[in-house]
Amino acid sequence: MKKSLIALAFGTLGLGIAEFVMMAILPYVAADLHISIPTAGHLISAYALGVCAGAPMLTLAHKLPLKNILLGLVAIMMVGNIFASLSPNYWTMLVARFISGLPHGAYFGVASVVAEKLADKGKGSEAVSIMIAGMTIANLFGVPLGTSLSTLLSWRLTFMLVGVWGIIILYYIWKWVPQVEGLPDTGFKGQFRFLKTGAPWLILGATMLGNGGVFCWYSYINPLLTKVSGFSTESITLLMVLAGFGMVVGNLLGGKLSDKYTPGRVAASTQFILFMALLGIFFVAHINWLTALLMCLCTAGLFAVSSPQQISIIHFAKGGELLGAACIQVAFNLGNAIGAYIGGLPLQAGLGYQYPALIGAPLAFVGFILLTLFYKKYEPKKA
């Protein structure tokens, strides 16, 4: 494995912890800042808004060397997370979370382009999956670690460690990532020209709806497992590690299969599996071992579509590759927000915790249709 790809994965590891740990430590943050848990939930939204605002910033930095852009984005990540760890009140924490989210989509966009340029011939999707692997490792180890630190010591230490981790990321990107050839300068308007074709919209729409379908269910995974499937509260940490393991396996498998077949075909097939798994969770949620198995299948599928979608948008965003790759993360985060909201509607109506999976299934199916259209109409077939 190329060291340069490991350095890029260090960055997605830090971003992954910063994004996902807040969901696990929300009660501790709320108590310390003297706010309610629903109000503290705005801190998750602030990060997502930062992701959406940060991606278009790449249009202003497109003339800079790609390695320099990466270093600048890591520096913003450090500032945001250190600021979060020192925030004295809700409002400063809200600003800190927004700043923390700014580099997220942009980093994935630039790192995806760099990873593909550094990849051996025919290994572009696998290289991107290695870069994304940091995000899956964050869910496997980083989030449980951050949760433990928040329980035993302070939630502030979790964000401070992410900020300090940024120093390591800076060093290894500087040392291990070479200066790769920059992208052609297509001008400001030229970066948006790829949006005039249908293929990018199919990919972005599938990303948003597909992830939205999964997050309808995943946003309420804890009460589903304890109140419907009958797992004990003490077993949730282990189950979350299993979910993270599914993400790691799915991500690497998605990259390898995309190079063997085609990214669109792999993404469409995986999206259909997600649709079936969400339906399965709704019908068998009371059987604990089967629910756990389907949970791992869903988390594996969630990240198995990630690198195929990331590599596909690069191929169909000529002249705006950085913006296109960053927009995938915007679509991902919009899907998270939409899924969490829609998934909560049946719960507000008094229905059981298995119903968010039923709500998410049609969204995943629409994602499958969009990816199938992309695969059939636009994607070149393998020889």
Side-chain angles (χ1 to χ4, degrees), residues 17 33 44 54 66 102 164 187-188 193 217 251 277-278 349 355 369:
I17 296 174
L33 298 180
I44 298 173
L66 298 180
L102 285 174
V164 173
F188 182 79
R193 198 168 290 128
W217 153 78
N251 174 58
L278 288 170
Y355 278 87
I369 292 174

Side-chain angles (χ1 to χ4, degrees), residues 214-236:
V214 174
F215 273 87
C216 279
W217 153 78
Y218 197 59
S219 299
Y220 306 97
I221 183 66
N222 191 315
L224 170 72
L225 293 173
T226 54
K227 298 182 184 299
V228 181
S229 301
F231 286 102
S232 66
T233 305
E234 293 74 22
S235 65
I236 293 300

